[in-house]
Amino acid sequence: MTLEILEKFKDPELCRELLGRLREELDGEIRFMEVCGTHTVAIFRSGLHSVLPAEVIHLSGPGCPVCVTHESEVNSFIDLAGKDNVIIATFGDLIKVPGDKGHCLKNAQADGARVEIIYSPFDALEIARKNPDSTVVFLGVGFETTAPTIAGTVLMAKQEGLKNFKVLSFHKLVPPALDVLISDPETRIDGFILPGHVSTVIGIHPYDFIGEKYGKPAVVTGFDPVDILQALLFMIRSSKEDRPATVNQYTRGVSEFGNPKAVEIMYQVFETSDALWRGIGRIPASGLEFREEFAEFDAKRIFDLKIGECPPLPGCKCGDVLKGKMTPEQCPLFGKACNPAKPVGPCMVSTEGSCAAYFKYKVD
C-alpha cells in the first residue's frame, strides 16, 4: 500500500466531512467502547475526543494488557524476582505496575533483584544462553497479539534444549472479556471499536456473538482518525437501522480469518484456562496456560505459584475505568496522588492506559 493511500486516513478534509455526516445521522446518545490501548491513545492524540458531539460517549475498555494484569499476578512477579538465581525478563511497561501492596518490579530491582528489560521474547532466550546457572523467567503478559510470538519462542527453546528458560503465562483473550462487559447491567455499551492488532491474529469471526447474542454493532478498525470516524458512523447507522453486525473496516491490515498459522502456533503451546482480570475478576476460558507437553517451560508450575484473589489497591479506580463505569478524571486520585511520575494504578503506568492518555492529551 502506497504512502499516498495511507495518508488519506489522516486527511483533515475527509475527517471534517465524516464528522458532518456523523452529526447529521445522530439520533440520540450512543455509547461506544474501544477495546485497544492503541485506539485509546489515537482518539486523544488526534484530538477526536474533543470534537465528537456530546451525544457520542466514549468509554475505554480493558484493551491495555498491562492494565488488566491482576494485582495477584504482579505479586507473583515480585515474589519470583526475589528468588535466588532468578532473572526476570520483561517488557519495560511492566516495571512500574503495582501489586496489592503498591510494590512493583522497580522496587524489587532496587532491592537487588535482577530484572532485565527486553524488546522481544527472543532477547530472553539470549539472556538464558548467557546465564546457564540462572533461571530466566519471561513475563508473558498480553493478548492474542503477543501470545503466538511467545509460543514460537518456547518452541525454539525446546528445539534448542534450553533448560533454564521459563515463561510465566498470564496471557488474556479478548472476546470472553467483551462477553462479560456487554452482559453487565451496570455498563451500557451500544457498540464496540474492536482491537486492530488482536484482530490481525484472530480475524473478525470470534466477535460475531456481539451482534448475534446481544444485538450490538462492532467494528474492527485502524488507528487513524478516518478509520475511527468511519467506525462510529457505521455504529450509528447500524443502531438506527437495527442491523447489528461485526464488520471489518481495517481491511488493509486485517483479513477475515486473521492469521491461522499464528493461532495454530499459539494453541500448539498453550490451551485456554480461566484468568484473573484486574477490576473484573475471574473470567472463564479467558486466559492461556501451558499444555502438559510444554510443562518444563511453565514458571507457574516450576515455582509452585499460587495465584489467588487479593484486594484492589486502596483508592484506585482502575477496575471501574477498565469496565467503562467511569472515566479517568472521575477517579479521586487522578492527577493528584496518581500521575505519570508517581502512578498508583496501572492505567496511569502504561502509555496505552486510559488514565495516562487522559492526563497527557485531554483538553477540557
Side-chain angles (χ1 to χ4, degrees), residues 39 41-51 223-225 228 361:
H39 278 134
V41 174
I43 288 168
F44 283 100
R45 185 172 56 203
S46 65
L48 278 180
H49 190 275
S50 62
V51 297
F223 306 97
D224 289 316
I228 295 164
Y361 295 111

Side-chain angles (χ1 to χ4, degrees), residues 48 54 77 96 99 112 156 177 188 212 227 238 248 298 314 350 357:
L48 278 180
F77 302 163
K96 292 173 71 176
M156 185 180 292
R188 199 192 108 211
E212 294 170 356
D227 292 316
S238 179
N248 180 18
D298 186 357
S350 174

